[in-house]
């Protein structure tokens, strides 16, 4: 269910007045831009004499799809804070509103990074794509180089996060080829354990990097799938997404353009990353098999209507071509050879 943007903004304004004890106004019209797969995003900008300086700035209200995601919201808030405390460019979460405080779902109140997504920046200025891809790879390598002391992670390994959706949905989907691929992926996962895990974002790509095109700064958003694990798995997913884009694009012209540009962008990203941290390309290939199984499952489950808890399942079905499942199946087979 998608909440009305104006209603969310007004409820948040009232919550701020109750918290800070004086009148609060919103200095810009609330807007909903760039919703994620199952989170609704509302932009607000509160102002008022009693509002702390850290709150008198553009903010993001990240709305979870159901009341069961409260633990996820707190976990994400802790990860954002951990990264920011170490100088890594992630927006801080200022508060987590529990179900019942505004609506029946939890809401993260976080800083809004200035700028646009890196994908939009590349689209607007394709001649700067090499510089943006360098920035993307450098940000990724910098994340993987962070010491993991006191990282607020649970006991779930990164491979378990990647295979979590296939384990839940593949039996319900009942596709024999998918079930067989999952069995093989489980065996591959046992070969991918590491003694010194890195912080893995889990969904690192140009839509989750925000670039201030005026000053060149960039920050990373959407840490839902973050966890500790083999950094090669994180790299593998990013590299795979450059190829997926040519299949998942909405128009024929976009698919044609990305079919040519995707492999070039992938090679640029990997080359820059490897200039900063070494890569075992065989491990990257094995991880790709796991990511393909996960993506394959997601596409089939989406078109089977199994994500009714998401904010906009119908819109997501419209955006994701069912042909992507066949592409991921073929790519999975190739990675498992």
């Amino acid at each position: 269910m998608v909440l009305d943007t104006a209603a969310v903004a007004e409820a948040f304004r009232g919550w701020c007045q109750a918290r800070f004890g004086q009148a609060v106004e919103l200095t810009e019209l609330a807007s909903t831009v760039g919703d994620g797969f199952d989170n609704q995003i509302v932009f607000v900008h509160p102002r008022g004499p009693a509002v702390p300086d850290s709150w008198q700035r553009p903010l993001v209200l990240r709305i979870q799809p159901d009341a069961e995601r409260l633990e996820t919201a707190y976990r994400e808030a802790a990860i954002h804070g951990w990264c920011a405390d170490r100088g890594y460019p992630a927006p801080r979460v200022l508060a987590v509103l529990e179900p019942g405080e505004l609506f029946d779902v939890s809401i993260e109140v976080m800083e809004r990074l200035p700028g646009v997504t890196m994908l939009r920046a590349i689209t607007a200025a394709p001649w700067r794509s090499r510089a943006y891809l360098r920035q993307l790879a450098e940000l990724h390598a910098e994340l993987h180089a962070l010491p993991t002391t006191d990282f607020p992670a649970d006991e779930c390994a990164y491979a378990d996060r990647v295979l979590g959706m296939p384990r839940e949905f593949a039996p319900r989907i009942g596709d024999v080829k998918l079930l067989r691929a999952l069995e093989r992926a489980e065996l591959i996962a046992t070969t991918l354990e590491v003694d010194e895990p890195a912080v893995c974002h889990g969904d690192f790509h140009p839509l989750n990097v925000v670039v201030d095109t005026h000053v060149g700064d960039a920050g990373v958003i959407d840490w839902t799938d973050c966890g500790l694990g083999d950094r090669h798995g994180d790299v593998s997913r990013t590299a795979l997404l450059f190829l997926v884009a040519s299949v998942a694009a909405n128009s024929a012209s976009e698919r044609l353009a990305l079919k040519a540009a995707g492999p070039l962008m992938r090679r640029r990203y990997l080359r820059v990353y490897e200039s900063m941290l070494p890569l075992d390309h065989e491990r990257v290939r094995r991880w790709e098999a796991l990511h393909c199984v996960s993506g394959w499952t997601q596409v089939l489950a989406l078109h089977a209507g199994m994500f009714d808890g998401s904010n906009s399942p119908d819109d997501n079905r419209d955006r994701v071509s069912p042909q992507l499942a066949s592409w991921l199946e073929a790519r999975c087979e190739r990675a498992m050879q």
Side-chain angles (χ1 to χ4, degrees):
M1 178 183 69
V2 179
L3 299 174
D4 178 74
T5 300
V8 170
E10 182 58 27
F12 176 69
R13 188 184 69 82
W15 180 88
C16 288
Q17 289 189 164
R19 172 166 177 156
F20 301 124
Q22 291 190 32
V24 173
E25 63 174 331
L26 300 181
T27 59
E28 64 181 67
L29 186 65
S31 60
T32 299
V33 179
D35 288 1
F37 180 73
D38 61 358
N39 292 105
Q40 183 180 354
I41 305 298
V42 175
F43 291 162
V44 293
H45 189 171
R47 298 293 292 272
V51 178
D53 289 343
S54 59
W55 288 66
Q56 294 206 56
R57 56 183 300 178
L59 300 178
V60 172
L61 305 182
R62 192 163 189 259
I63 305 169
Q64 296 290 344
D66 56 61
E68 304 302 317
R69 300 287 190 93
L70 177 60
E71 183 178 348
T72 297
Y74 275 119
R75 181 179 180 276
E76 289 176 9
I79 291 172
H80 279 247
W82 184 90
C83 289
D85 287 344
R86 284 150 185 80
Y88 192 78
R92 289 186 184 275
V93 176
L94 304 180
V96 174
L97 309 187
E98 298 191 358
E101 290 192 67
L102 287 189
F103 298 96
D104 293 335
V105 295
S106 57
I107 299 175
E108 298 162 65
V109 184
M110 67 176 67
E111 299 169 337
R112 190 196 316 177
L113 297 176
V116 298
T117 67
M118 183 173 283
L119 180 61
R120 181 175 294 182
I122 290 173
T123 302
W127 58 90
R128 297 188 61 192
S129 61
R130 286 177 59 84
Y132 285 132
L133 287 169
R134 170 171 287 280
Q135 190 172 34
L136 181 81
E138 289 175 347
L139 276 172
H140 213 180
E142 288 166 9
L143 174 65
H144 293 158
L146 290 176
T148 58
T149 305
D150 299 325
F151 181 74
D154 52 30
E155 297 301 318
C156 182
Y158 182 51
D160 290 328
R161 290 196 174 280
V162 174
L163 293 179
M165 183 178 295
R167 288 168 180 166
E168 178 181 357
F169 287 101
R172 293 167 54 188
I173 294 170
D175 185 290
V176 174
K177 291 186 289 186
L178 176 60
L179 289 168
R180 288 174 180 167
L182 176 57
E183 289 179 1
R184 296 171 68 185
E186 296 282 12
L187 293 175
I188 292 172
T190 64
T191 72
L192 296 173
E193 297 178 0
V194 289
D195 294 329
E196 297 182 2
V199 178
C200 296
H201 179 274
D203 198 21
F204 198 92
H205 54 74
L207 273 172
N208 281 336
V209 175
V210 175
V211 180
D212 187 335
T213 56
H214 297 294
V215 299
D217 293 341
V220 182
I221 60 174
D222 195 356
W223 295 78
T224 300
D225 297 319
C226 181
L228 296 179
D230 181 6
R231 60 186 176 84
H232 290 82
D234 218 20
V235 169
S236 180
R237 175 173 170 78
T238 301
L240 177 64
L241 289 175
F242 283 120
L243 304 181
V244 167
S246 66
V247 185
N250 290 326
S251 69
S253 59
E254 287 178 342
R255 288 191 293 272
L256 184 62
L258 287 169
K259 186 175 182 179
L264 296 175
M265 296 170 74
R266 170 190 169 98
R267 286 196 292 271
R268 171 69 172 168
Y269 157 76
L270 288 172
R271 187 163 55 247
V272 174
Y273 182 97
E274 198 165 16
S275 72
M276 300 182 67
L277 291 175
L279 277 178
D280 180 338
H281 289 272
E282 172 60 23
R283 291 186 74 86
V284 172
R285 183 184 65 81
R286 279 182 280 156
W287 271 106
E288 184 177 292
L290 273 64
H291 291 304
C292 285
V293 170
S294 179
W296 180 6
T297 303
Q298 183 171 324
V299 175
L300 292 182
L302 178 66
H303 285 278
M306 294 182 178
F307 293 135
D308 290 338
S310 64
N311 274 321
S312 52
D314 293 333
D315 290 344
N316 283 315
R317 278 197 290 271
D318 291 341
R319 291 201 303 249
V320 179
S321 168
Q323 297 301 318
L324 182 56
S326 299
W327 187 91
L328 287 164
E329 177 188 345
R331 189 78 189 184
C332 180
E333 183 62 32
R334 174 179 171 181
M336 287 182 173
Q337 291 176 355

